[in-house]
Amino acid sequence: MHGRLRHNLTFLIPLCLLIIVTVMHAGDMKYYIQNEWMYMACSLILVLLNRSAVSFSLSNIVSGILILLCAAGAFLLGYRSLFFLTIVSAIILLAGSYARKDVLLPMLLVWLTSPALHSFLHGYSALIKQQLATWVYMIAGKMMAIQSAGQGILHTSAGGITINDGCMGLDMLKVNFFIAVMILFVKERKLKIQHSPRQVFFLLLISIVLNMVSNTFRIIILVWSGQVQDGLTHQAIGMICFAFYSVLPLIWISDRLRGKALVDGNHPPARSPWLRLIMLTLSLVILMAKPDTANMMLPVAQKIARQRNMCLEMISNDVIKLSDAKRIIYIKSASHNPMICWTGDGYQILPQQKTKAYTHDHVVKNAEVLNSYWWYQCGTKRTSSLLNAIITSVISAQPVQLVNVAM
């Protein structure tokens, strides 16, 4: 009786806090809930249908620690995607802890399909797009009369063919992770087994490789068939390549992974429930006090626009553009080197100077040459190192912004 009461308390306390946080910050999560509900629902289904009842799960403890770190990151950096990831992860861990189920696969599904990870990876889409163009040129350049490849563009006698974001793989990588996790779950439930974390991460690593292979052959077939414009045939070729080069190999490989057989029986008593309670409670308390850091650079940008007579434009919630006849200034949330965006637009980067406070590059496209100065800014401190900026952000509890001046 005492153990059951303790188990219920470790569920009800964080559940009440979770409801309070959700009500307080519903506006921050509205967009993500509308677009990510399918992955959330599938993760909860995985928890409820999981056969692996556990008395102690290291993955549950690790998940709690990651949730606490994620909550701290959402508090200090003010990223809505991190805030959403913390909330959904807390829901999954809470459900898994109460049902005494291992949450490795559901938690992986939440993290690998999260907007936070997808936004981070999308910043590197230009680099992957360029690499795919190079691979296609090396594999099928002579067969399809491709003259050259560069900056994500294949140059043929018919003109330049741009490899867009859908072809370069990151859009489908999220689906790839989802399918890999679901294949493992279906196999575990059907055969009453449980895969080790090493086997799970091995299959996820393989899914990344297969995703790149799938997109490489997708581009080759699209260029060879002339179906480079978006349409029904273009989409059908993409789905066939995805199924043939990615999904089927994942199923074949997963069949060769031998999991550990589960023993049927009563649910064992939960151990260390208070540790999970403490981690969840701290995470949710941090989120309850989460400061509103959205557009903290907007007042500064407005002041600069007035003083220098520049035009101010909000490109998105976290990207501000200032411009006049001589220069363009971008102020955005820091997630990656801005040169990735320049190369993605077809510019060649000629490094010039790097100091502790800023980086100076020449960006060249056709006959256009621009001087690009960029740095990470946290409060009044400027640095060319993202790591230094993040450390400063953690200490000062202020978000990191990327400032890029082109003239």
Side-chain angles (χ1 to χ4, degrees):
M1 183 67 181
H2 177 70
R4 188 64 182 173
L5 178 62
R6 182 180 63 179
H7 185 60
N8 288 335
L9 283 177
T10 57
F11 172 75
L12 292 175
I13 293 175
L15 177 63
C16 293
L17 290 174
L18 190 62
I19 293 173
I20 294 173
V21 172
T22 304
V23 172
M24 288 177 58
H25 301 287
D28 289 339
M29 296 187 293
K30 182 178 179 181
Y31 170 81
Y32 294 119
I33 292 174
Q34 290 175 343
N35 291 275
E36 305 295 327
W37 66 268
M38 185 186 75
Y39 298 110
M40 294 170 55
C42 287
S43 299
L44 278 173
I45 291 173
L46 260 60
V47 173
L48 298 176
L49 298 182
N50 193 354
R51 290 180 181 269
S52 58
V54 294
S55 58
F56 177 81
S57 173
L58 183 60
S59 64
N60 285 25
I61 301 301
V62 172
S63 297
I65 296 173
L66 289 176
I67 291 173
L68 184 57
L69 294 175
C70 194
F75 177 84
L76 295 171
L77 302 177
Y79 294 153
R80 291 186 178 90
S81 57
L82 276 179
F83 178 81
F84 176 77
L85 177 58
T86 307
I87 291 296
V88 178
S89 300
I91 293 173
I92 299 302
L93 181 58
L94 189 61
S97 297
Y98 186 75
R100 298 190 178 101
K101 300 292 183 68
D102 182 68
V103 296
L104 176 61
L105 290 181
M107 198 64 74
L108 280 174
L109 184 59
V110 165
W111 281 68
L112 293 174
T113 60
S114 68
L117 179 64
H118 193 63
S119 298
F120 175 78
L121 291 176
H122 194 72
Y124 294 89
S125 62
L127 295 180
I128 298 177
K129 182 167 61 175
Q130 293 169 27
Q131 189 61 52
L132 285 180
T134 303
W135 287 352
V136 171
Y137 176 66
M138 292 172 59
I139 295 172
K142 294 182 180 179
M143 292 186 294
M144 297 187 298
I146 300 175
Q147 299 168 355
S148 63
Q151 309 300 336
I153 300 175
L154 297 173
H155 300 281
T156 67
S157 56
I161 300 172
T162 302
I163 300 176
N164 59 32
D165 288 350
C167 286
M168 64 83 201
L170 286 178
D171 290 345
M172 293 304 291
L173 184 57
K174 188 173 183 176
V175 180
N176 231 94
F177 286 143
F178 174 77
I179 291 176
V181 171
M182 295 305 295
I183 288 174
L184 284 173
F185 175 76
V186 171
K187 181 186 173 185
E188 286 187 354
R189 182 166 176 80
K190 180 180 179 181
L191 301 179
K192 296 182 179 181
I193 62 175
Q194 184 176 17
H195 293 96
S196 67
R198 183 180 301 177
Q199 292 174 324
V200 173
F201 285 106
F202 170 76
L203 190 68
L204 292 174
L205 181 62
I206 291 296
S207 72
I208 297 175
V209 177
L210 292 174
N211 189 69
M212 303 307 294
V213 172
S214 170
N215 280 279
T216 299
F217 283 98
R218 177 188 182 188
I219 296 167
I220 292 175
I221 295 173
L222 289 173
V223 175
W224 173 75
S225 63
Q227 299 293 330
V228 294
Q229 299 298 323
D230 192 20
L232 183 60
T233 305
H234 180 100
Q235 297 294 335
I237 292 173
M239 295 309 297
I240 291 172
C241 288
F242 182 69
F244 187 77
Y245 292 107
S246 186
V247 178
L248 293 179
L250 279 176
I251 295 175
W252 184 85
I253 294 172
S254 69
D255 286 340
R256 273 121 189 103
L257 298 177
R258 304 301 178 187
K260 180 182 178 181
L262 296 175
V263 179
D264 291 329
N266 297 326
H267 290 307
R271 297 178 186 172
S272 304
W274 295 109
L275 180 59
R276 290 191 290 271
L277 170 66
I278 291 171
M279 289 185 292
L280 277 174
T281 302
L282 284 176
S283 300
L284 296 172
V285 169
I286 289 172
L287 293 183
M288 287 173 64
K290 174 179 171 287
D292 184 10
T293 55
N295 297 329
M296 289 187 69
M297 289 297 291
L298 183 57
V300 178
Q302 291 172 335
K303 182 178 179 180
I304 295 174
R306 289 193 301 268
Q307 291 177 345
R308 303 184 182 182
N309 195 27
M310 300 182 74
C311 177
L312 187 149
E313 179 182 359
M314 291 294 300
I315 304 298
S316 65
N317 288 335
D318 58 353
V319 180
I320 304 172
K321 179 182 178 181
L322 297 168
S323 61
D324 58 19
K326 297 181 179 180
R327 63 200 158 208
I328 301 174
I329 302 175
Y330 287 101
I331 304 174
K332 60 180 72 175
S333 297
S335 59
H336 60 82
N337 187 316
M339 293 303 102
I340 293 176
C341 297
W342 286 105
T343 55
D345 288 337
Y347 285 86
Q348 181 182 2
I349 309 303
L350 302 177
Q352 298 297 308
Q353 181 185 16
K354 184 171 184 177
T355 68
K356 291 183 178 181
Y358 68 90
T359 300
H360 174 208
D361 299 305
H362 282 165
V363 291
V364 182
K365 183 177 181 181
N366 299 328
E368 183 183 17
V369 180
L370 296 175
N371 282 293
S372 173
Y373 298 87
W374 60 270
W375 60 88
Y376 300 106
Q377 185 155 339
C378 181
T380 58
K381 183 174 180 179
R382 296 181 179 183
T383 176
S384 58
S385 169
L386 179 58
L387 178 60
N388 290 340
I390 292 177
I391 293 174
T392 304
S393 174
V394 171
I395 296 174
S396 63
Q398 292 181 307
V400 180
Q401 304 287 342
L402 170 65
V403 181
N404 189 189
V405 182
M407 60 182 70

